[in-house]
């Protein structure tokens, strides 16, 4: 038995037991990390340098790329170094910082995706008032609110999680420090202390999900009323990348949180964590640039 005051490190979940598979994991994560750095770095540079992309949609996309870079940089390099050096250890302070930053970036991204859904609703359903509603000040405030919501949630969850005595060892059943993994180590008498914080976050997350869902119902209703096929195609091309990103992110998070206990296993939890925390930062730039002519032209101009 141990408690949090005597812990100086945690042991993370390993991807493999053999050196060969650990090396494979290292190279796979290195490729994903470099792809995320390149893709998001190009989008940030293109949006910042090309005046044609100084619009609300691309401003929010720039913020999304920054959050994606933050998420993957907090998780992947540590996991790569552990595999390369054949260790599972992370210091107590390192675990606190990693958990805080993961919550910060992931919840800020979720809030930003909600803001981006509102931006698409205004662009398609109220195009004549778009410039007035989505002015530069309004966009900055909405983006700041998304970042602030992630920061406040991270402070709340990190403080509550690590204020509890940990008396069930130091092995976290995940390849990074997350709230469920650390809570499993908490003494059962203190576990209920964080329930209210979790309930608040789940309620806010569900509210954002319902808002996004209703936004797309409104968007698709408006798009289907557009008489010209070209107009419908243009409207769908504006929304489908955001919808794809939201679907990938939200579906894996919801399944991870609400899967029945009979399906729970360290291997499945690991795969789900990769799908919602590692894969999106690498594929989001591809999704957003695939059918976006303006962004393609800016990226082509940038690399020439």
């Amino acid at each position: 038995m141990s408690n949090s005051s005597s812990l100086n490190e945690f042991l993370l979940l390993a991807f493999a037991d053999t050196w060969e598979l650990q090396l494979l994991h290292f190279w796979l994560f290195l490729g994903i990390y470099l792809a995320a750095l390149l893709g998001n770095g190009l989008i940030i540079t293109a949006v910042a340098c090309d005046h044609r992309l100084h619009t609300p949609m691309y401003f929010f996309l720039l913020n999304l790329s920054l959050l994606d870079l933050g998420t993957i940089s907090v998780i992947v390099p540590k996991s790569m170094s552990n595999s390369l050096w054949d260790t599972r250890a992370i210091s107590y302070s390192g675990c606190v910082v990693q958990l805080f930053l993961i919550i910060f970036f992931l919840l800020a991204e979720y809030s930003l995706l909600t803001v981006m859904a509102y931006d698409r609703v205004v662009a398609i359903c109220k195009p004549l008032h778009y410039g007035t509603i989505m002015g530069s000040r309004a966009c900055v405030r909405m983006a700041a609110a998304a970042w602030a919501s992630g920061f406040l949630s991270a402070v709340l969850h990190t403080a509550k999680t690590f204020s509890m005595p940990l008396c069930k060892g130091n092995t976290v059943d995940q390849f990074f420090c997350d709230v469920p993994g650390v809570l499993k180590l908490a003494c059962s008498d203190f576990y209920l202390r964080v329930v209210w914080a979790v309930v608040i976050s789940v309620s806010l997350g569900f509210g954002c999900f319902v808002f996004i869902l209703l936004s797309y119902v409104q968007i698709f209703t408006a798009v289907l009323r557009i008489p010209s096929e070209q107009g419908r195609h243009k409207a769908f091309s504006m929304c489908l990348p955001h919808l794809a990103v939201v679907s990938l992110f939200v579906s894996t998070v919801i399944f991870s949180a609400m899967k029945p206990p009979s399906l729970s296993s360290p291997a499945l939890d690991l795969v789900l964590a990769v799908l919602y925390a590692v894969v999106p930062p690498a594929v989001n730039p591809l999704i957003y640039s695939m059918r976006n002519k303006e962004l393609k032209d800016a990226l082509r101009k940038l690399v020439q």
Side-chain angles (χ1 to χ4, degrees):
M1 302 288 285
S2 61
N3 56 52
S4 54
S5 61
S6 62
L7 282 177
N8 54 23
E9 71 175 17
F10 292 93
L11 298 179
L12 302 175
L13 186 66
F15 270 84
D17 297 328
T18 63
W19 166 246
E20 290 78 10
L21 290 177
Q22 287 178 349
L23 200 59
L24 177 63
H25 159 244
F26 170 82
W27 287 112
L28 180 62
F29 265 34
L30 178 62
I32 293 174
Y33 187 52
L34 292 177
L37 289 179
L38 178 63
N40 288 289
L42 285 173
I43 285 180
I44 292 170
T45 306
V47 173
C49 297
D50 196 323
H51 69 279
R52 294 173 301 173
L53 302 183
H54 292 175
T55 63
M57 183 177 76
Y58 293 109
F59 170 71
F60 294 133
L61 181 57
L62 182 147
N63 279 267
L64 181 67
S65 292
L66 289 172
L67 290 169
D68 279 340
L69 284 179
T71 301
I72 200 167
S73 295
V74 170
I75 296 173
V76 169
K78 177 60 180 175
S79 181
M80 288 166 52
S81 66
N82 279 4
S83 289
L84 190 62
W85 302 114
D86 193 21
T87 181
R88 297 167 53 199
I90 183 172
S91 66
Y92 184 91
S93 60
C95 186
V96 173
V97 171
Q98 188 181 57
L99 184 140
F100 172 83
L101 291 176
I102 288 171
I103 297 173
F104 171 44
F105 287 124
L106 287 179
L107 293 187
E109 178 164 339
Y110 188 40
S111 300
L112 186 67
L113 289 173
T114 306
V115 171
M116 294 172 76
Y118 175 72
D119 172 65
R120 295 299 84 206
V121 169
V122 177
I124 291 175
C125 300
K126 300 178 180 179
L128 298 179
H129 303 283
Y130 183 73
T132 304
I133 297 174
M134 301 301 295
S136 57
R137 287 188 179 181
C139 291
V140 170
R141 287 171 183 168
M142 285 187 278
W147 285 81
S149 65
F151 178 80
L152 293 176
S153 297
V155 170
L156 173 66
H157 284 288
T158 305
K160 281 295 179 181
T161 300
F162 287 97
S163 66
M164 298 186 304
L166 306 178
C167 57
K168 296 181 181 178
N170 66 336
T171 302
V172 179
D173 289 334
Q174 190 54 271
F175 71 99
F176 55 85
C177 287
D178 65 345
V179 172
V182 176
L183 286 183
K184 289 179 182 178
L185 308 179
C187 304
S188 56
D189 294 340
F190 295 87
Y191 191 83
L192 293 177
R193 284 187 181 181
V194 299
V195 169
W196 68 271
V198 174
V199 169
I200 291 174
S201 294
V202 170
S203 300
L204 292 174
F206 181 73
C208 290
F209 174 73
V210 171
F211 180 85
I212 293 172
L213 192 64
L214 293 177
S215 296
Y216 272 98
V217 170
Q218 192 174 353
I219 287 171
F220 288 140
T221 302
V223 169
L224 293 176
R225 292 174 180 170
I226 297 176
S228 67
E229 184 177 348
Q230 184 179 1
R232 289 196 299 271
H233 181 270
K234 182 179 180 180
F236 276 125
S237 66
M238 292 171 62
C239 298
L240 289 180
H242 177 261
L243 184 59
V245 170
V246 169
S247 300
L248 175 62
F249 183 79
V250 174
S251 61
T252 51
V253 171
I254 290 177
F255 182 77
S256 178
M258 302 186 67
K259 66 182 183 299
S262 58
L263 292 179
S264 183
S265 69
L268 179 60
D269 292 342
L270 186 148
V271 171
L272 290 172
V274 170
L275 288 176
Y276 71 72
V278 177
V279 172
V283 301
N284 283 355
L286 181 63
I287 292 173
Y288 275 103
S289 61
M290 191 178 300
R291 301 181 64 181
N292 190 313
K293 187 178 184 300
E294 291 179 331
L295 190 56
K296 281 183 179 179
D297 291 341
L299 291 173
R300 193 177 297 113
K301 182 180 178 181
L302 187 66
V303 298
Q304 284 179 350

